[in-house]
Amino acid sequence: MLRTIDLRGRTLSPAELLATVPRATAAREEALSTAARIVADVASHGETALRDQAEKFDGVTGHDIRVPAAHLDDALASLDPAVRDALEQAIERVREASAAQVPAPVTTQLAPGARVMQRWQPVRRVGLYVPGGKAVYPSSVVMNVVPAQVAGVSEIAVASPPQRDQGGRVHPVILGAAKLLGVDEVYAMGGAGAIGALAHGVGGLGLDPVDVVTGPGNNFVAAAKRAVAGLVGTDAEAGATEIVIVADDSADARLVAVDLISQAEHDEQASAVLVTDSESLAEAVAAEVATRAAATRHAERVAAALAGPQSAIVLVDDLDAATAFSNAYAPEHLELHLRDPKPERFVHAGAVFVGADSPVSLGDYLAGSNHVLPTGGQARYSAGLSASTFLRPQQVIEYDHTALEAVRDAIVVLAEAEALPAHGEAVVARFETPVG
């Protein structure tokens, strides 16, 4: 089921390493063009476009796109007590970890009377996307909403696809989680259309445009974020999920296999990659995966993901080569099943899970970390969702007359050097005696 790629005895550049296990680029390219058309349709036709898309993609007609308050109340009242308890635990942990991501204001005194303050201002309004296609993700409600609340965002709108088996309503567990967090603006709309609606607004629904759009989803959701970038802020493009496991011969093949399968069950485009210098571990994992994948509930979906070109077992010469592969790939999720993990060496990953008792599933729900993470190699330059996603660093400058005088001449010199003399004149004017 999982192909094996043998890189032993070869020295490859980062680009060559990346090419050995290609991501599902065809699906990504198709998603970019399709998502752009869908977003443009929503921008032009608003609610009509959303209803056409719901009928085409979700098999739903005549539903309430803006979720009535009664639906939210009913969902919370009917939430399974065990699910509610688990959600409350997740909320508490994510809230505590997110609070550590909010920097305190800092004032730098450069000279007497010369101060620059660095402060972090929350955006006013955000749109948070919660997937609802192949699975139900109340955990994504927590991962989106809590950091926004911690950052101080005043208006939060949540979007999630309408469910045909729920009569066009958003899944009740998602609604229950939203209500549990005090969110009362929820929309039954999914995919790229939802991202377009949040970014452009839909007047007929009372949906005002947001300042930032975040949340995980499939490749179409990720592509739609690119289509609206510049109009609104976005988080990293959290598309089809990825896991890379770096392991040596100390690893438990059974645990490696179940972790690969756990991410493969998300989507047929999911990437599941084991990198190891142990041929015996590679063989044991391949056997475990074949047995366990066939027995899991979503066996067909898992099989498609594991058989795709984006998944593989990669054999390398040593752990230095494994580290180089991981850093070139820049996975969304990285697990280290190693005697001596040295996580500091793995510099490109959305999140790093160290040791056999820190599986990705922990991060998906109750680690306290956020599970909305960059995919597609964007971990090289993008961060996962956090309170900082909703904060803008802002500088506040305050100089008194004496402090400005101390730098007056230097400002004039630089203004003249840049052929912008009025800049210098604006400063000099403050030291001239007013005429009359």
Side-chain angles (χ1 to χ4, degrees), residues 67-79 84 169 172 174-180 182-184 186:
V67 175
H71 293 186
L72 288 157
D73 293 336
D74 292 346
L76 182 58
S78 62
L79 199 59
R84 178 168 181 159
R169 295 188 182 192
I174 290 175
L175 292 182
K179 185 65 177 180
L180 189 61
V183 176
D184 57 14
V186 182

Side-chain angles (χ1 to χ4, degrees), residues 30-356:
E30 178 190 351
L32 286 171
S33 60
T34 301
R37 290 196 302 270
I38 291 172
V39 168
D41 189 26
V42 172
S44 299
H45 301 105
E47 183 179 350
T48 300
L50 289 171
R51 291 198 178 279
D52 290 345
Q53 292 163 16
E55 183 174 5
K56 179 178 180 180
F57 300 122
D58 304 304
V60 169
T61 60
H63 61 302
D64 293 306
I65 297 181
R66 179 147 185 172
V67 175
H71 293 186
L72 288 157
D73 293 336
D74 292 346
L76 182 58
S78 62
L79 199 59
D80 181 289
V83 173
R84 178 168 181 159
D85 178 67
L87 284 171
E88 287 174 340
Q89 289 186 55
I91 290 167
E92 181 180 358
R93 288 170 176 263
V94 174
R95 196 176 298 282
E96 184 173 352
S98 298
Q101 298 161 352
V102 180
V106 177
T107 298
T108 304
Q109 191 81 26
L110 295 161
R115 292 184 295 277
V116 175
M117 175 189 287
Q118 308 286 340
R119 67 182 185 185
W120 284 261
Q121 296 287 93
V123 297
R124 181 185 65 86
R125 178 170 169 78
V126 299
L128 312 179
Y129 186 72
V130 177
K134 294 182 173 69
V136 180
Y137 294 100
S139 58
S140 287
V141 180
V142 176
M143 300 295 175
N144 274 276
V145 172
V146 171
Q149 290 177 333
V150 167
V153 174
S154 58
E155 295 183 18
I156 295 175
V158 169
S160 190
Q163 303 294 308
R164 183 166 52 184
D165 62 358
Q166 299 292 332
R169 295 188 182 192
V170 172
H171 196 283
V173 180
I174 290 175
L175 292 182
K179 185 65 177 180
L180 189 61
L181 283 159
V183 176
D184 57 14
E185 186 181 354
V186 182
Y187 298 89
M189 53 190 189
I195 303 302
L198 292 168
H200 288 278
V202 182
L205 298 173
L207 171 54
D208 293 329
V210 302
D211 301 314
V212 170
V213 174
T214 73
N218 58 20
N219 286 331
F220 294 97
V221 170
K225 290 181 186 177
R226 186 171 297 186
V228 301
L231 175 64
V232 296
T234 65
D235 60 343
E237 296 173 15
T241 193
E242 305 165 351
I243 182 173
V244 166
I245 299 178
V246 176
D248 57 21
D249 60 4
S250 70
D252 185 329
R254 176 179 55 93
L255 299 183
V256 173
V258 295
D259 288 356
L260 292 170
I261 292 168
S262 74
Q263 296 308 295
E265 78 171 336
H266 276 285
D267 189 274
E268 290 84 354
Q269 299 296 327
S271 301
V273 180
L274 166 64
V275 186
T276 183
D277 62 349
S278 170
E279 187 171 357
S280 61
L281 177 70
E283 292 171 353
V285 169
E288 285 281 351
V289 165
T291 300
R292 292 176 178 274
T296 194
R297 183 194 301 181
H298 302 297
E300 186 174 346
R301 189 188 309 160
V302 168
L306 295 178
Q310 73 276 12
S311 298
I313 295 172
V314 180
L315 279 169
V316 294
D317 286 313
D318 51 35
L319 293 181
D320 286 340
T323 305
F325 180 94
S326 177
N327 284 335
Y329 191 89
E332 176 189 22
H333 306 104
L334 171 64
E335 286 189 4
L336 303 179
H337 293 237
L338 301 167
R339 284 189 187 83
D340 185 12
K342 293 188 171 65
E344 66 276 5
R345 297 180 61 195
F346 294 86
V347 293
H348 295 155
V352 183
F353 298 82
V354 182

Side-chain angles (χ1 to χ4, degrees), residues 304 346 385 397 428-429:
F346 294 86
L385 187 65
I397 299 94
V428 171

